[in-house]
Amino acid sequence: MAQLIDGKRLSNQVLQDVACEVERLRSEHNVVPTLAVVLVGEDPASQVYVRNKVKRAKEAGMGSILHRLDAGTTQGELNRLIDRLNHDSQVHGILVQLPLPSHLDEDEVIAAINPAKDVDGFHPLNVGALAAGQASLVPCTPQGCMIMLHRVMPELRGKHAVVVGRSNIVGKPMAALLLQADCTVTMAHSRTQEIESLCRNADIVIAAAGRPGLVGADWIKPGATVIDVGINAVEVEGTRKLVGDVAFDAVSRTAGAITPVPGGVGPMTIACLLLNTTRAARQQLASLAPPRPSVSCP
Ligand code: NAD
């Protein structure tokens, strides 16, 4: 049976590190890392996600401010709020919960966020920095997946990873991080042919397609590591249940290590959001510090 990669336990370890860094920033610099979360409209899933993010931030000793905006908020009103948060020195991270109502332009909103406060890592400058292998605020879900992978595979160099899904928020940044870790990366998507045999050759399969149970046991090489990013609500015998993109029971018998849903990637995503917020606070502090003299003074 595959080793279970316990996202709850791992995320608690990340959150403990975050809480220590929050305490250091407070005691050494009198800074309380603060996350501003913007929620537009009444999407029920988004409300749950946002509540969780704010709750976890408080538990880690961070500041968190929730801006709830009416579903009819205009682009101008939203842009003005982002602009205000960009200039608020008490706010270190800004997260706009997606999806936005259809009359709002998500790309415009993401581009309006100060890249130094873009704790989701979606701003084009941060996307470019990641693609170029430079330090940046990295999207939270793929960052969490990398922490999980490192736990069970200390050496990633030369491993063949298949990423199923090519979205901007999961698949593409995931592939960039795996490349940075010296994996050989194949990206698969809805138009990929012979996806099963591609996956069967992989040492690592990252499933991020949003298709319940897509990845079956016959897709997985014995001993491979399987990270299930999918979160899909399905009805089982009249009860609503959350499942991943991986047929967990069957794949557990073939894989070497596997993440569950729920309790896998989900908790890691929130932990990495808070990690990014402390990193953003630290970087903003450094950018305020007076420049060091380049030569020693007499
Ligand atoms: P998306 O819809 O933006 O992208 C899905 C991708 O999967 C697309 O690139 C598409 O080409 C590919 N795809 C769809 N059907 C496929 C198939 N049959 N075979 C191969 N590829 C296929 O989705 P997303 O935002 O990247 O999210 C993917 C899943 O991950 C969803 O279930 C989402 O809820 C979940 N998610 C989880 C977390 C978390 O914290 N655990 C975070 C983000 C997204």
Side-chain angles (χ1 to χ4, degrees):
M1 281 300 269
Q3 177 187 351
L4 192 75
I5 311 173
D6 184 342
K8 274 198 192 143
R9 201 166 55 82
L10 258 181
S11 67
N12 279 333
Q13 290 170 8
V14 174
L15 288 170
Q16 272 174 22
D17 292 345
V18 166
C20 288
E21 172 68 345
V22 169
E23 191 40 47
R24 266 195 302 274
L25 283 161
R26 193 197 310 270
S27 59
E28 291 170 13
H29 303 283
N30 202 22
V31 165
V32 180
T34 296
L35 174 68
V37 180
V38 180
L39 174 64
V40 187
E42 309 286 333
D43 180 68
S46 293
Q47 297 201 29
V48 174
Y49 292 146
V50 158
R51 254 204 313 274
N52 257 333
K53 288 168 183 171
V54 169
K55 181 167 167 259
R56 293 279 174 213
K58 284 191 177 137
E59 284 167 4
M62 296 170 54
S64 61
I65 310 159
L66 174 56
H67 294 267
R68 282 175 172 278
L69 304 184
D70 191 82
T73 300
T74 65
Q75 188 84 41
E77 286 167 337
L78 183 52
N79 288 354
R80 276 191 290 282
L81 171 61
I82 305 280
D83 190 52
R84 190 153 60 73
L85 297 173
N86 282 343
H87 288 96
D88 184 341
S89 60
Q90 307 296 309
V91 169
H92 305 95
I94 303 170
L95 178 149
V96 178
Q97 185 65 43
L98 303 177
L100 290 171
S102 57
H103 67 282
L104 297 171
D105 182 339
E106 284 184 0
D107 290 344
E108 185 179 327
V109 172
I110 290 168
I113 297 172
N114 176 352
K117 296 189 178 187
D118 167 40
V119 284
D120 258 339
F122 296 162
H123 188 284
L125 272 183
N126 286 322
V127 173
L130 175 61
Q134 296 162 2
S136 63
L137 288 167
V138 171
C140 307
T141 300
Q143 196 183 146
C145 294
M146 289 306 289
I147 296 174
M148 296 176 117
L149 272 180
H150 279 299
R151 270 309 155 106
V152 290
M153 299 177 81
E155 183 56 77
L156 290 175
R157 192 178 315 164
K159 297 283 189 280
H160 180 208
V162 174
V163 181
V164 182
R166 56 172 162 183
S167 71
N168 289 340
I169 64 168
V170 187
K172 286 179 195 160
M174 187 74 239
L177 288 173
L178 288 163
L179 265 180
Q180 266 180 29
D182 290 330
C183 288
T184 302
V185 183
T186 302
M187 290 200 72
H189 48 80
S190 55
R191 302 280 186 262
T192 299
Q193 293 177 7
E194 304 193 9
I195 193 166
E196 296 91 332
S197 60
L198 279 177
C199 288
R200 244 190 328 269
N201 274 318
D203 305 302
I204 298 164
V205 173
I206 312 280
R211 297 280 179 270
L214 173 72
V215 177
D218 54 338
W219 289 39
I220 300 300
K221 178 166 85 176
T225 299
V226 180
I227 306 282
D228 191 353
V229 179
I231 301 181
N232 310 291
V234 294
E235 284 242 338
V236 180
E237 290 159 11
T239 316
R240 194 176 164 276
K241 218 181 134 192
L242 288 184
V243 299
D245 289 354
V246 174
F248 182 83
D249 292 341
V251 172
S252 300
R253 288 192 277 275
T254 307
I258 189 168
T259 62
V261 176
V265 176
M268 293 300 289
T269 296
I270 298 195
C272 290
L273 170 70
L274 303 187
L275 189 61
N276 273 354
T277 307
T278 55
R279 284 183 179 149
R282 183 61 80 178
Q283 278 162 18
Q284 285 158 46
L285 199 60
S287 69
L288 289 175
R292 294 216 181 133
S294 54
V295 289
S296 51
C297 301

